[in-house]
Amino acid sequence: MNNRTLAIIAVVLVGILLISSSAFVVKETEKAVLLRFGELVRSYYEPGLYFKIPFAEKLRKFDARIQTVDSSPVRMLNSENKFMMVDSYAKYRISDVGKFYTATRGDERNAVRLLSEQINDRLRNQFGVRDLHEVVSGERDELMSEITKNLNQVAQKNLGVEVIDVRVKRIDLPPEVSESVFQRMRAGRELEARDHRAKGEEASERIRANADRQKVVIESEAYRQAEELRGAGDAEAAAIYAAAYNKNPEFYRFTRSLQAYKESFKSKSDMLLVEPDSEFFRYLKDPKGQ
Amino acid sequence: MAWNEPGGNNKDPWGGGNRKNDGPPDLDELIRKIQQKLGGLFRGGSPGTGTGNFPWMLILVLGALIYAGLGIYQVNANEAAVVLRLGKYHTTESAGLHWNPPLIDSVTKVNMTEVRTERTTGQMLTEDANIVEVVLTVQWQVGDAESYVLRVRDPVKSLQEATDSALRHVVGSLTLNGVISQNRTQVSTDTQQRLQEYLDLYQTGILIDVVNLTDAKAPREVQDAFDDVTKAREDEVRLQNEAQAYANQVIPVARGQAQRILEEAEGYKARVVESARGEAVRFEKLLTEYERAPEVTRERLYLDAVQEVMSGTSKVMVDVEGGNNIMYLPLDKLAQESATPAAQRQDTSPIVVEEVYQRVVERLRNDAANSRRSQTVR
């Protein structure tokens, strides 16, 4: 009874040990290689449950998902011999895990390093023959797909890795060049600002001058019309006077002269030195007027 | 070869028989075994059975219950659960209560409806080799749970990288002014399109909802110059408006002035003509009377006029026949007297009073002299 129980427990324990060291699951997100005494014996697994010989066979798993090679920004020369800071990343996935294992000795960091060296090299080559404008705007897509295609071929063959995409994250100018760009931008803005202000002044001057001209035109036209009116008035008056006075010019002269005398000697400060011999004083000296 | 493939029982390298319930066996077999053990338990519970079997049964039943209980899980309405069976993609469960055998199936829940935000910012080059500062936010959610969980190592980081790349690509193909003002919407739509393309290529299962260009402005270093341009634009408009205001004031005033000149001229004309008419009629009327009695009328007019002249002026009558005396006429004094009588009255200080006294004396003397002279004239 006791013996039997112990035996059962022993069998169970051995069973557990055997199964746990021999069974393994390859997940959807993994790729695995099986090594027997260090020798690669199997490298292709569908996801699922598998068994291996315990102790003799070893399993190495790798990430089967798409991963990133994120390089740090690198200084590169372009065709104009100007430096720029290029920051790129690449997306890759292990396609042939056996080749990947042998090429990298199973170290993912090795793969990343190898890939990023190759990416850098290709970017440098591509950027070296293009100017800033071309890489920033013109041929970015073509450049990237060319590098991706080229790198994919090499990586598939040598590393068992499929390169899905290589992209430039950012292309920046080094700080000293940025400063000169800022200066240029500032100069451009100053130009624009000055242009606006000058245009404003131009328009202002034009409007004011136009207003002043209109003012002068309006006023002088009014002056002309006014003078015409006055002239017409004067002419009419002259005609009227002439018509009336022509009826007796001598009498006109007489009355007009009298009126002129009255008008001329109006003020107390006008002083007359009078001779009593004048016609007016005829009766002053002599009541008979002789 | 997978153990759980159809007909897997036959291919089981261990056979089924000698194995205890301690590994992840096939589900059907497991259940069958549990049923067997349950049967055993009930048998074991009957009196007379050996005590050695009883704890085994109990442990097995408990283990089975715990195992079954661990497999129950809930998927919320906003979630999806990606189920892997022995490592292989099995199914994606939607909301509800589910059971999957633990250890055999692994379940990863993903929030499908939560809209998450990713933000990127920085200075970047534009097509015209200027630098622009851009803040962009991306709102996204998981569109494909299977891809999101299984295909990419770090989907969110991939999103960040792809956003950086797509945004800079789009900005790099626009001019500075385009990014800042004219093509703002183009920046977000192009970036969204490009970004989704990249994300699909990387099989992230991420769906971009919206891309917002939160801010696009000139870099800090040149912001003042850009602000000045804005100010200059305002100045331009202001100068024009001021000039227009000036014009709006000057021209109506000039028109008014012109009207005044014209009215004055009209007035002048009317006055001149009317007074001419009046004077003409007056003359003609007088002339009629004159012609009736020329001598008398003439005499009367003459006398009237001279009287008026004489009465209105200061006069000095000089008798030339008696003029061999030396005659003194204080003409200046006479003129002054008649011109400034008002000025003297204003000030009454003692000095002025003294002066007035002197003047009065002088005048009396003059008057006396005058009367004497008139007498001599007579």
PDB file of all heavy atoms in Angstrom, chain A residues 28 67 91 108 133 137 165 184 186 196-197 212 234 241 268 272, chain B residues 87 89 127 129 153 158 172 202 221 235-236 246 268 279 314 316:
ATOM      1  N   GLU A  28       2.819  31.858 -31.995  1.00  0.00           N
ATOM      2  CA  GLU A  28       2.631  32.596 -33.256  1.00  0.00           C
ATOM      3  C   GLU A  28       3.688  33.688 -33.414  1.00  0.00           C
ATOM      4  O   GLU A  28       4.087  34.044 -34.510  1.00  0.00           O
ATOM      5  CB  GLU A  28       1.231  33.224 -33.251  1.00  0.00           C
ATOM      6  CG  GLU A  28       0.781  33.756 -34.579  1.00  0.00           C
ATOM      7  CD  GLU A  28       0.050  32.709 -35.412  1.00  0.00           C
ATOM      8  OE1 GLU A  28      -0.403  31.683 -34.874  1.00  0.00           O
ATOM      9  OE2 GLU A  28      -0.056  32.927 -36.619  1.00  0.00           O
ATOM     10  N   GLN A  67      10.290  43.915 -36.208  1.00  0.00           N
ATOM     11  CA  GLN A  67      11.059  44.647 -35.211  1.00  0.00           C
ATOM     12  C   GLN A  67      11.744  45.854 -35.835  1.00  0.00           C
ATOM     13  O   GLN A  67      11.746  46.037 -37.039  1.00  0.00           O
ATOM     14  CB  GLN A  67      12.125  43.735 -34.606  1.00  0.00           C
ATOM     15  CG  GLN A  67      11.524  42.514 -33.970  1.00  0.00           C
ATOM     16  CD  GLN A  67      12.597  41.538 -33.572  1.00  0.00           C
ATOM     17  OE1 GLN A  67      13.531  41.915 -32.883  1.00  0.00           O
ATOM     18  NE2 GLN A  67      12.467  40.317 -34.032  1.00  0.00           N
ATOM     19  N   LYS A  91      12.542  48.509 -40.475  1.00  0.00           N
ATOM     20  CA  LYS A  91      11.663  47.458 -39.961  1.00  0.00           C
ATOM     21  C   LYS A  91      12.075  46.145 -40.612  1.00  0.00           C
ATOM     22  O   LYS A  91      12.216  46.071 -41.836  1.00  0.00           O
ATOM     23  CB  LYS A  91      10.209  47.781 -40.319  1.00  0.00           C
ATOM     24  CG  LYS A  91       9.671  49.008 -39.613  1.00  0.00           C
ATOM     25  CD  LYS A  91       9.290  48.685 -38.196  1.00  0.00           C
ATOM     26  CE  LYS A  91       8.887  49.951 -37.456  1.00  0.00           C
ATOM     27  NZ  LYS A  91       8.697  49.699 -36.026  1.00  0.00           N
ATOM     28  N   GLU A 108      20.520  38.727 -31.115  1.00  0.00           N
ATOM     29  CA  GLU A 108      19.725  39.680 -31.863  1.00  0.00           C
ATOM     30  C   GLU A 108      20.479  41.000 -32.043  1.00  0.00           C
ATOM     31  O   GLU A 108      20.359  41.672 -33.058  1.00  0.00           O
ATOM     32  CB  GLU A 108      18.412  39.919 -31.123  1.00  0.00           C
ATOM     33  CG  GLU A 108      17.232  40.053 -32.024  1.00  0.00           C
ATOM     34  CD  GLU A 108      15.962  39.968 -31.204  1.00  0.00           C
ATOM     35  OE1 GLU A 108      15.745  40.890 -30.405  1.00  0.00           O
ATOM     36  OE2 GLU A 108      15.223  38.986 -31.365  1.00  0.00           O
ATOM     37  N   HIS A 133      17.895  69.542 -51.008  1.00  0.00           N
ATOM     38  CA  HIS A 133      16.522  69.657 -51.505  1.00  0.00           C
ATOM     39  C   HIS A 133      16.003  68.315 -51.985  1.00  0.00           C
ATOM     40  O   HIS A 133      14.872  67.924 -51.726  1.00  0.00           O
ATOM     41  CB  HIS A 133      16.477  70.689 -52.627  1.00  0.00           C
ATOM     42  CG  HIS A 133      15.098  70.891 -53.170  1.00  0.00           C
ATOM     43  ND1 HIS A 133      14.659  70.279 -54.319  1.00  0.00           N
ATOM     44  CD2 HIS A 133      14.064  71.614 -52.701  1.00  0.00           C
ATOM     45  CE1 HIS A 133      13.405  70.612 -54.534  1.00  0.00           C
ATOM     46  NE2 HIS A 133      13.019  71.432 -53.579  1.00  0.00           N
ATOM     47  N   SER A 137      12.792  66.738 -50.006  1.00  0.00           N
ATOM     48  CA  SER A 137      11.464  66.726 -50.604  1.00  0.00           C
ATOM     49  C   SER A 137      11.384  65.862 -51.843  1.00  0.00           C
ATOM     50  O   SER A 137      10.528  64.996 -51.964  1.00  0.00           O
ATOM     51  CB  SER A 137      11.041  68.154 -50.927  1.00  0.00           C
ATOM     52  OG  SER A 137      12.074  68.803 -51.607  1.00  0.00           O
ATOM     53  N   ASP A 165      11.066  47.786 -44.432  1.00  0.00           N
ATOM     54  CA  ASP A 165      11.065  49.214 -44.741  1.00  0.00           C
ATOM     55  C   ASP A 165      12.277  49.881 -44.114  1.00  0.00           C
ATOM     56  O   ASP A 165      12.660  49.562 -42.997  1.00  0.00           O
ATOM     57  CB  ASP A 165       9.778  49.855 -44.186  1.00  0.00           C
ATOM     58  CG  ASP A 165       9.470  51.167 -44.862  1.00  0.00           C
ATOM     59  OD1 ASP A 165      10.090  51.447 -45.908  1.00  0.00           O
ATOM     60  OD2 ASP A 165       8.621  51.906 -44.348  1.00  0.00           O
ATOM     61  N   ARG A 184      18.926  83.606 -42.547  1.00  0.00           N
ATOM     62  CA  ARG A 184      18.341  83.804 -43.874  1.00  0.00           C
ATOM     63  C   ARG A 184      16.824  84.000 -43.763  1.00  0.00           C
ATOM     64  O   ARG A 184      16.237  84.877 -44.392  1.00  0.00           O
ATOM     65  CB  ARG A 184      18.647  82.589 -44.741  1.00  0.00           C
ATOM     66  CG  ARG A 184      18.015  82.656 -46.114  1.00  0.00           C
ATOM     67  CD  ARG A 184      18.589  81.596 -47.042  1.00  0.00           C
ATOM     68  NE  ARG A 184      18.495  80.248 -46.530  1.00  0.00           N
ATOM     69  CZ  ARG A 184      17.362  79.560 -46.456  1.00  0.00           C
ATOM     70  NH1 ARG A 184      16.230  80.100 -46.843  1.00  0.00           N
ATOM     71  NH2 ARG A 184      17.362  78.328 -45.994  1.00  0.00           N
ATOM     72  N   ARG A 186      15.206  85.103 -41.226  1.00  0.00           N
ATOM     73  CA  ARG A 186      14.924  86.394 -40.603  1.00  0.00           C
ATOM     74  C   ARG A 186      15.042  87.509 -41.652  1.00  0.00           C
ATOM     75  O   ARG A 186      14.187  88.397 -41.731  1.00  0.00           O
ATOM     76  CB  ARG A 186      15.905  86.624 -39.451  1.00  0.00           C
ATOM     77  CG  ARG A 186      15.336  87.527 -38.389  1.00  0.00           C
ATOM     78  CD  ARG A 186      16.250  87.573 -37.180  1.00  0.00           C
ATOM     79  NE  ARG A 186      16.235  86.343 -36.424  1.00  0.00           N
ATOM     80  CZ  ARG A 186      17.315  85.724 -35.965  1.00  0.00           C
ATOM     81  NH1 ARG A 186      18.510  86.242 -36.196  1.00  0.00           N
ATOM     82  NH2 ARG A 186      17.222  84.614 -35.276  1.00  0.00           N
ATOM     83  N   HIS A 196       5.708  95.295 -46.955  1.00  0.00           N
ATOM     84  CA  HIS A 196       4.333  95.605 -46.542  1.00  0.00           C
ATOM     85  C   HIS A 196       4.224  97.061 -46.095  1.00  0.00           C
ATOM     86  O   HIS A 196       3.302  97.767 -46.482  1.00  0.00           O
ATOM     87  CB  HIS A 196       3.908  94.692 -45.390  1.00  0.00           C
ATOM     88  CG  HIS A 196       3.447  93.343 -45.867  1.00  0.00           C
ATOM     89  ND1 HIS A 196       2.389  93.195 -46.722  1.00  0.00           N
ATOM     90  CD2 HIS A 196       3.914  92.100 -45.614  1.00  0.00           C
ATOM     91  CE1 HIS A 196       2.221  91.916 -46.976  1.00  0.00           C
ATOM     92  NE2 HIS A 196       3.141  91.224 -46.324  1.00  0.00           N
ATOM     93  N   ARG A 197       5.195  97.480 -45.276  1.00  0.00           N
ATOM     94  CA  ARG A 197       5.108  98.845 -44.755  1.00  0.00           C
ATOM     95  C   ARG A 197       5.217  99.842 -45.906  1.00  0.00           C
ATOM     96  O   ARG A 197       4.487 100.832 -45.958  1.00  0.00           O
ATOM     97  CB  ARG A 197       6.226  99.098 -43.739  1.00  0.00           C
ATOM     98  CG  ARG A 197       6.072  98.241 -42.498  1.00  0.00           C
ATOM     99  CD  ARG A 197       6.562  98.920 -41.230  1.00  0.00           C
ATOM    100  NE  ARG A 197       6.066  98.190 -40.070  1.00  0.00           N
ATOM    101  CZ  ARG A 197       6.710  97.181 -39.492  1.00  0.00           C
ATOM    102  NH1 ARG A 197       7.890  96.796 -39.957  1.00  0.00           N
ATOM    103  NH2 ARG A 197       6.191  96.570 -38.447  1.00  0.00           N
ATOM    104  N   ASP A 212      -6.007 115.403 -52.053  1.00  0.00           N
ATOM    105  CA  ASP A 212      -5.566 116.797 -52.165  1.00  0.00           C
ATOM    106  C   ASP A 212      -5.862 117.349 -53.567  1.00  0.00           C
ATOM    107  O   ASP A 212      -6.306 118.480 -53.719  1.00  0.00           O
ATOM    108  CB  ASP A 212      -4.067 116.904 -51.864  1.00  0.00           C
ATOM    109  CG  ASP A 212      -3.792 116.721 -50.377  1.00  0.00           C
ATOM    110  OD1 ASP A 212      -4.752 116.872 -49.577  1.00  0.00           O
ATOM    111  OD2 ASP A 212      -2.636 116.426 -50.013  1.00  0.00           O
ATOM    112  N   ASP A 234     -21.473 141.846 -62.938  1.00  0.00           N
ATOM    113  CA  ASP A 234     -20.879 143.157 -63.237  1.00  0.00           C
ATOM    114  C   ASP A 234     -21.341 143.656 -64.600  1.00  0.00           C
ATOM    115  O   ASP A 234     -21.721 144.825 -64.769  1.00  0.00           O
ATOM    116  CB  ASP A 234     -19.357 143.060 -63.200  1.00  0.00           C
ATOM    117  CG  ASP A 234     -18.857 142.942 -61.766  1.00  0.00           C
ATOM    118  OD1 ASP A 234     -19.641 143.275 -60.838  1.00  0.00           O
ATOM    119  OD2 ASP A 234     -17.707 142.491 -61.566  1.00  0.00           O
ATOM    120  N   TYR A 241     -26.718 150.364 -65.775  1.00  0.00           N
ATOM    121  CA  TYR A 241     -26.266 151.733 -65.503  1.00  0.00           C
ATOM    122  C   TYR A 241     -26.185 152.543 -66.794  1.00  0.00           C
ATOM    123  O   TYR A 241     -26.694 153.655 -66.903  1.00  0.00           O
ATOM    124  CB  TYR A 241     -24.887 151.726 -64.820  1.00  0.00           C
ATOM    125  CG  TYR A 241     -24.936 151.381 -63.353  1.00  0.00           C
ATOM    126  CD1 TYR A 241     -24.103 150.402 -62.819  1.00  0.00           C
ATOM    127  CD2 TYR A 241     -25.802 152.080 -62.480  1.00  0.00           C
ATOM    128  CE1 TYR A 241     -24.127 150.082 -61.479  1.00  0.00           C
ATOM    129  CE2 TYR A 241     -25.834 151.767 -61.136  1.00  0.00           C
ATOM    130  CZ  TYR A 241     -25.009 150.778 -60.629  1.00  0.00           C
ATOM    131  OH  TYR A 241     -25.038 150.468 -59.316  1.00  0.00           O
ATOM    132  N   LYS A 268     -15.769 163.324 -39.373  1.00  0.00           N
ATOM    133  CA  LYS A 268     -15.429 164.562 -38.654  1.00  0.00           C
ATOM    134  C   LYS A 268     -13.966 164.915 -38.803  1.00  0.00           C
ATOM    135  O   LYS A 268     -13.559 166.063 -38.721  1.00  0.00           O
ATOM    136  CB  LYS A 268     -15.751 164.375 -37.165  1.00  0.00           C
ATOM    137  CG  LYS A 268     -17.195 164.718 -36.826  1.00  0.00           C
ATOM    138  CD  LYS A 268     -17.392 166.220 -36.641  1.00  0.00           C
ATOM    139  CE  LYS A 268     -18.862 166.512 -36.297  1.00  0.00           C
ATOM    140  NZ  LYS A 268     -19.179 167.949 -36.532  1.00  0.00           N
ATOM    141  N   LEU A 272     -12.183 170.737 -43.938  1.00  0.00           N
ATOM    142  CA  LEU A 272     -12.321 171.584 -45.133  1.00  0.00           C
ATOM    143  C   LEU A 272     -11.813 172.984 -44.830  1.00  0.00           C
ATOM    144  O   LEU A 272     -12.166 173.550 -43.794  1.00  0.00           O
ATOM    145  CB  LEU A 272     -13.795 171.667 -45.547  1.00  0.00           C
ATOM    146  CG  LEU A 272     -14.444 170.411 -46.108  1.00  0.00           C
ATOM    147  CD1 LEU A 272     -15.912 170.696 -46.371  1.00  0.00           C
ATOM    148  CD2 LEU A 272     -13.760 169.980 -47.397  1.00  0.00           C
TER     149      LEU A 272
ATOM    150  N   GLY B  87       0.003  28.110 -28.734  1.00  0.00           N
ATOM    151  CA  GLY B  87       0.905  28.976 -29.484  1.00  0.00           C
ATOM    152  C   GLY B  87       0.366  29.417 -30.822  1.00  0.00           C
ATOM    153  O   GLY B  87       0.828  30.389 -31.394  1.00  0.00           O
ATOM    154  N   TYR B  89      -2.483  30.842 -33.431  1.00  0.00           N
ATOM    155  CA  TYR B  89      -3.646  31.717 -33.379  1.00  0.00           C
ATOM    156  C   TYR B  89      -4.910  30.900 -33.560  1.00  0.00           C
ATOM    157  O   TYR B  89      -5.043  30.149 -34.520  1.00  0.00           O
ATOM    158  CB  TYR B  89      -3.548  32.792 -34.465  1.00  0.00           C
ATOM    159  CG  TYR B  89      -4.802  33.617 -34.571  1.00  0.00           C
ATOM    160  CD1 TYR B  89      -5.139  34.513 -33.546  1.00  0.00           C
ATOM    161  CD2 TYR B  89      -5.652  33.500 -35.657  1.00  0.00           C
ATOM    162  CE1 TYR B  89      -6.286  35.264 -33.628  1.00  0.00           C
ATOM    163  CE2 TYR B  89      -6.813  34.241 -35.744  1.00  0.00           C
ATOM    164  CZ  TYR B  89      -7.124  35.126 -34.726  1.00  0.00           C
ATOM    165  OH  TYR B  89      -8.268  35.859 -34.796  1.00  0.00           O
ATOM    166  N   GLU B 127      10.432  72.395 -47.842  1.00  0.00           N
ATOM    167  CA  GLU B 127      10.866  72.244 -49.222  1.00  0.00           C
ATOM    168  C   GLU B 127      11.780  73.384 -49.648  1.00  0.00           C
ATOM    169  O   GLU B 127      12.714  73.188 -50.410  1.00  0.00           O
ATOM    170  CB  GLU B 127       9.625  72.196 -50.121  1.00  0.00           C
ATOM    171  CG  GLU B 127       9.832  71.533 -51.446  1.00  0.00           C
ATOM    172  CD  GLU B 127       9.777  72.494 -52.596  1.00  0.00           C
ATOM    173  OE1 GLU B 127       9.082  73.509 -52.475  1.00  0.00           O
ATOM    174  OE2 GLU B 127      10.450  72.228 -53.604  1.00  0.00           O
ATOM    175  N   ALA B 129      13.919  74.838 -47.907  1.00  0.00           N
ATOM    176  CA  ALA B 129      15.091  74.843 -47.022  1.00  0.00           C
ATOM    177  C   ALA B 129      14.960  75.818 -45.871  1.00  0.00           C
ATOM    178  O   ALA B 129      15.932  76.398 -45.421  1.00  0.00           O
ATOM    179  CB  ALA B 129      16.362  75.114 -47.817  1.00  0.00           C
ATOM    180  N   ARG B 153       6.533  43.873 -32.751  1.00  0.00           N
ATOM    181  CA  ARG B 153       7.038  43.762 -31.396  1.00  0.00           C
ATOM    182  C   ARG B 153       6.494  44.899 -30.527  1.00  0.00           C
ATOM    183  O   ARG B 153       6.002  44.689 -29.458  1.00  0.00           O
ATOM    184  CB  ARG B 153       8.560  43.790 -31.386  1.00  0.00           C
ATOM    185  CG  ARG B 153       9.102  43.527 -29.990  1.00  0.00           C
ATOM    186  CD  ARG B 153      10.593  43.683 -29.933  1.00  0.00           C
ATOM    187  NE  ARG B 153      11.273  42.414 -30.159  1.00  0.00           N
ATOM    188  CZ  ARG B 153      12.592  42.302 -30.219  1.00  0.00           C
ATOM    189  NH1 ARG B 153      13.345  43.386 -30.108  1.00  0.00           N
ATOM    190  NH2 ARG B 153      13.158  41.142 -30.405  1.00  0.00           N
ATOM    191  N   SER B 158       6.355  51.751 -32.986  1.00  0.00           N
ATOM    192  CA  SER B 158       6.308  51.802 -34.446  1.00  0.00           C
ATOM    193  C   SER B 158       5.484  52.985 -34.917  1.00  0.00           C
ATOM    194  O   SER B 158       5.832  53.664 -35.879  1.00  0.00           O
ATOM    195  CB  SER B 158       5.686  50.529 -35.005  1.00  0.00           C
ATOM    196  OG  SER B 158       6.495  49.426 -34.679  1.00  0.00           O
ATOM    197  N   GLY B 172       8.485  68.206 -45.578  1.00  0.00           N
ATOM    198  CA  GLY B 172       9.614  68.393 -46.476  1.00  0.00           C
ATOM    199  C   GLY B 172       9.204  68.622 -47.919  1.00  0.00           C
ATOM    200  O   GLY B 172      10.010  69.070 -48.728  1.00  0.00           O
ATOM    201  N   TYR B 202       3.693  47.718 -41.727  1.00  0.00           N
ATOM    202  CA  TYR B 202       4.329  47.109 -40.544  1.00  0.00           C
ATOM    203  C   TYR B 202       3.377  46.177 -39.809  1.00  0.00           C
ATOM    204  O   TYR B 202       3.709  45.666 -38.758  1.00  0.00           O
ATOM    205  CB  TYR B 202       4.818  48.199 -39.566  1.00  0.00           C
ATOM    206  CG  TYR B 202       5.706  49.256 -40.185  1.00  0.00           C
ATOM    207  CD1 TYR B 202       5.849  50.494 -39.588  1.00  0.00           C
ATOM    208  CD2 TYR B 202       6.410  49.010 -41.357  1.00  0.00           C
ATOM    209  CE1 TYR B 202       6.651  51.467 -40.153  1.00  0.00           C
ATOM    210  CE2 TYR B 202       7.209  49.977 -41.924  1.00  0.00           C
ATOM    211  CZ  TYR B 202       7.320  51.213 -41.323  1.00  0.00           C
ATOM    212  OH  TYR B 202       8.103  52.168 -41.881  1.00  0.00           O
ATOM    213  N   GLU B 221      13.577  80.803 -32.809  1.00  0.00           N
ATOM    214  CA  GLU B 221      14.707  81.682 -33.102  1.00  0.00           C
ATOM    215  C   GLU B 221      14.336  82.828 -34.047  1.00  0.00           C
ATOM    216  O   GLU B 221      15.000  83.853 -34.066  1.00  0.00           O
ATOM    217  CB  GLU B 221      15.854  80.863 -33.720  1.00  0.00           C
ATOM    218  CG  GLU B 221      16.561  79.938 -32.739  1.00  0.00           C
ATOM    219  CD  GLU B 221      15.857  78.598 -32.569  1.00  0.00           C
ATOM    220  OE1 GLU B 221      14.692  78.464 -32.996  1.00  0.00           O
ATOM    221  OE2 GLU B 221      16.475  77.680 -31.997  1.00  0.00           O
ATOM    222  N   ASP B 235       0.162  97.240 -40.260  1.00  0.00           N
ATOM    223  CA  ASP B 235       0.561  98.618 -40.531  1.00  0.00           C
ATOM    224  C   ASP B 235       0.112  99.047 -41.916  1.00  0.00           C
ATOM    225  O   ASP B 235      -0.365 100.162 -42.115  1.00  0.00           O
ATOM    226  CB  ASP B 235       2.096  98.752 -40.433  1.00  0.00           C
ATOM    227  CG  ASP B 235       2.559  98.744 -38.983  1.00  0.00           C
ATOM    228  OD1 ASP B 235       1.684  98.846 -38.101  1.00  0.00           O
ATOM    229  OD2 ASP B 235       3.774  98.643 -38.744  1.00  0.00           O
ATOM    230  N   GLU B 236       0.293  98.130 -42.862  1.00  0.00           N
ATOM    231  CA  GLU B 236      -0.092  98.447 -44.240  1.00  0.00           C
ATOM    232  C   GLU B 236      -1.567  98.842 -44.294  1.00  0.00           C
ATOM    233  O   GLU B 236      -1.937  99.878 -44.841  1.00  0.00           O
ATOM    234  CB  GLU B 236       0.170  97.230 -45.124  1.00  0.00           C
ATOM    235  CG  GLU B 236      -0.107  97.495 -46.586  1.00  0.00           C
ATOM    236  CD  GLU B 236       0.117  96.274 -47.457  1.00  0.00           C
ATOM    237  OE1 GLU B 236       0.685  95.286 -46.975  1.00  0.00           O
ATOM    238  OE2 GLU B 236      -0.269  96.332 -48.623  1.00  0.00           O
ATOM    239  N   TYR B 246      -8.432 110.483 -44.076  1.00  0.00           N
ATOM    240  CA  TYR B 246      -8.041 111.843 -44.462  1.00  0.00           C
ATOM    241  C   TYR B 246      -8.813 112.280 -45.707  1.00  0.00           C
ATOM    242  O   TYR B 246      -9.413 113.364 -45.750  1.00  0.00           O
ATOM    243  CB  TYR B 246      -6.539 111.879 -44.701  1.00  0.00           C
ATOM    244  CG  TYR B 246      -6.030 113.142 -45.333  1.00  0.00           C
ATOM    245  CD1 TYR B 246      -5.853 114.288 -44.562  1.00  0.00           C
ATOM    246  CD2 TYR B 246      -5.737 113.207 -46.692  1.00  0.00           C
ATOM    247  CE1 TYR B 246      -5.400 115.459 -45.129  1.00  0.00           C
ATOM    248  CE2 TYR B 246      -5.285 114.362 -47.269  1.00  0.00           C
ATOM    249  CZ  TYR B 246      -5.118 115.491 -46.485  1.00  0.00           C
ATOM    250  OH  TYR B 246      -4.670 116.652 -47.054  1.00  0.00           O
ATOM    251  N   TYR B 268     -23.160 137.973 -54.770  1.00  0.00           N
ATOM    252  CA  TYR B 268     -22.533 139.180 -55.311  1.00  0.00           C
ATOM    253  C   TYR B 268     -23.246 139.633 -56.581  1.00  0.00           C
ATOM    254  O   TYR B 268     -23.593 140.804 -56.760  1.00  0.00           O
ATOM    255  CB  TYR B 268     -21.056 138.918 -55.579  1.00  0.00           C
ATOM    256  CG  TYR B 268     -20.370 140.028 -56.340  1.00  0.00           C
ATOM    257  CD1 TYR B 268     -19.889 141.164 -55.661  1.00  0.00           C
ATOM    258  CD2 TYR B 268     -20.231 139.969 -57.728  1.00  0.00           C
ATOM    259  CE1 TYR B 268     -19.282 142.186 -56.352  1.00  0.00           C
ATOM    260  CE2 TYR B 268     -19.636 140.992 -58.427  1.00  0.00           C
ATOM    261  CZ  TYR B 268     -19.156 142.101 -57.738  1.00  0.00           C
ATOM    262  OH  TYR B 268     -18.572 143.121 -58.419  1.00  0.00           O
ATOM    263  N   GLU B 279     -30.522 151.665 -58.558  1.00  0.00           N
ATOM    264  CA  GLU B 279     -29.917 152.987 -58.780  1.00  0.00           C
ATOM    265  C   GLU B 279     -30.372 153.572 -60.101  1.00  0.00           C
ATOM    266  O   GLU B 279     -30.623 154.787 -60.214  1.00  0.00           O
ATOM    267  CB  GLU B 279     -28.399 152.869 -58.726  1.00  0.00           C
ATOM    268  CG  GLU B 279     -27.887 152.796 -57.287  1.00  0.00           C
ATOM    269  CD  GLU B 279     -26.422 152.428 -57.220  1.00  0.00           C
ATOM    270  OE1 GLU B 279     -25.682 152.786 -58.158  1.00  0.00           O
ATOM    271  OE2 GLU B 279     -26.025 151.773 -56.227  1.00  0.00           O
ATOM    272  N   SER B 314     -15.270 168.844 -40.127  1.00  0.00           N
ATOM    273  CA  SER B 314     -14.736 170.041 -39.456  1.00  0.00           C
ATOM    274  C   SER B 314     -14.390 171.054 -40.536  1.00  0.00           C
ATOM    275  O   SER B 314     -13.924 170.676 -41.605  1.00  0.00           O
ATOM    276  CB  SER B 314     -13.474 169.665 -38.691  1.00  0.00           C
ATOM    277  OG  SER B 314     -13.707 168.543 -37.887  1.00  0.00           O
ATOM    278  N   VAL B 316     -12.836 174.957 -41.587  1.00  0.00           N
ATOM    279  CA  VAL B 316     -12.130 176.202 -41.242  1.00  0.00           C
ATOM    280  C   VAL B 316     -12.375 177.173 -42.389  1.00  0.00           C
ATOM    281  O   VAL B 316     -12.080 176.831 -43.539  1.00  0.00           O
ATOM    282  CB  VAL B 316     -10.615 175.968 -41.089  1.00  0.00           C
ATOM    283  CG1 VAL B 316      -9.914 177.290 -40.797  1.00  0.00           C
ATOM    284  CG2 VAL B 316     -10.356 174.955 -39.995  1.00  0.00           C
TER     285      VAL B 316
END
